[in-house]
Amino acid sequence: RTSFAAAAKRWKEVTSHTLNLTSASRQNYVDVLRLHVEPVIGTVKLAQAKPSHVEEVMVAMQAKNLSPSYRNQAHKAMSHVFKMALKDGLIGSNPCRQVPAPRGTVKAKVVPDRDVVRDLVTKAPDERLRTFIVLAAHTGLRISEVLGLRWTDVNYATRSIAVYGKGGKRRAVYVTPTLELQLKAWKVEQARERLAAAWWSTESDWIITTDIGTRMDAH
């Protein structure tokens, strides 16, 4: 009688922490389950889950013009939940295995030049987005890596930011003078937002946050 939503909740709270996932990957799976999978098949009982339910999620996401790579993340997230249910003896097979995972097309990289980056920074609507752009441009980090940075990762004394990749591997990126100024300006603005907010998340000290202190969704 267990529903998919109930199984997903257990996977998020327990099983996901036992897997070899980076914090960013785990958060991506948690987000896609909450935003796109559970609203479609959350009430479906595990014992009644079929490949067509997986396809239903894929079709719903495609109707929203979501990218193949993001739909692939949803496919993986569902498969993780079904694998847990299979291991617990709640189902006899993983329905995701009978539905091909979406594959993205390879696109040519578009690399902005110095003038384009300057224009983006100048026209950014607020300090939050301006900080995101400066961080990405001055470090070369991926979107998920930028959104996964915490203030405790920044060391102005050594002019470096600690970045944790897959498997917890640590590397450092250089903090340019421009990036340091932008980070400090955003820190002041973020403090103002925190004081003005009715509620603020204190679980993690993300650098790039929503207006209530939570981690921003890469999508």
Side-chain angles (χ1 to χ4, degrees):
R1 294 187 295 273
T2 303
S3 68
F4 180 88
K9 183 174 184 292
R10 181 164 181 78
W11 182 85
K12 295 174 196 174
E13 295 176 350
V14 181
T15 307
S16 65
H17 295 283
T18 68
L19 303 176
N20 187 26
L21 298 174
T22 65
S23 58
S25 293
R26 179 187 172 278
Q27 188 61 49
N28 286 339
Y29 291 145
V30 168
D31 289 342
V32 77
L33 284 169
R34 174 176 56 84
L35 295 171
H36 301 290
V37 179
E38 291 171 36
V40 178
I41 64 169
T43 60
V44 174
K45 304 303 180 186
L46 288 175
Q48 299 171 347
K50 301 178 178 65
S52 59
H53 288 114
V54 177
E55 292 171 338
E56 189 178 350
V57 174
M58 297 293 99
V59 170
M61 293 182 72
Q62 188 171 17
K64 295 177 181 177
N65 292 320
L66 296 172
S67 69
S69 60
Y70 191 34
R71 282 182 273 136
N72 185 279
Q73 288 289 310
H75 191 283
K76 287 181 179 178
M78 284 188 285
S79 186
H80 275 300
V81 175
F82 284 127
K83 282 178 182 177
M84 179 199 72
L86 185 61
K87 185 173 65 175
D88 286 347
L90 300 176
I91 56 176
S93 63
N94 181 349
C96 283
R97 299 196 65 176
Q98 299 178 54
V99 179
R103 300 294 177 189
T105 55
V106 179
K107 297 180 181 179
K109 289 185 178 180
V110 178
V111 182
D113 59 24
R114 186 184 300 269
D115 291 336
V116 171
V117 174
R118 282 176 176 160
D119 196 43
L120 286 170
V121 172
T122 301
K123 293 180 179 179
D126 53 37
E127 289 297 334
R128 184 191 332 277
L129 188 54
R130 184 173 294 110
T131 303
F132 174 85
I133 295 169
V134 173
L135 263 169
H138 283 245
T139 64
L141 296 177
R142 300 177 180 88
I143 291 175
S144 60
E145 290 175 328
V146 172
L147 297 182
L149 294 176
R150 295 176 170 87
W151 287 110
T152 50
D153 297 327
V154 181
N155 188 329
Y156 293 123
T158 60
R159 306 203 64 81
S160 65
I161 300 177
V163 182
Y164 297 89
K166 291 184 177 180
K169 292 182 179 179
R170 183 183 183 277
R171 71 184 193 277
V173 293
Y174 178 66
V175 176
T176 65
T178 300
L179 176 55
E180 180 179 354
L181 288 173
Q182 184 58 46
L183 286 171
K184 289 180 176 178
W186 167 235
K187 184 77 169 177
V188 171
E189 181 60 29
Q190 192 182 53
R192 290 195 188 112
E193 282 193 351
R194 182 169 184 167
L195 288 173
W199 178 85
W200 188 273
S201 173
T202 57
E203 293 182 2
S204 302
D205 60 335
W206 306 114
I207 293 179
I208 305 297
T209 57
T210 64
D211 56 7
I212 57 170
T214 55
R215 186 178 188 268
M216 290 196 75
D217 185 343
H219 299 283

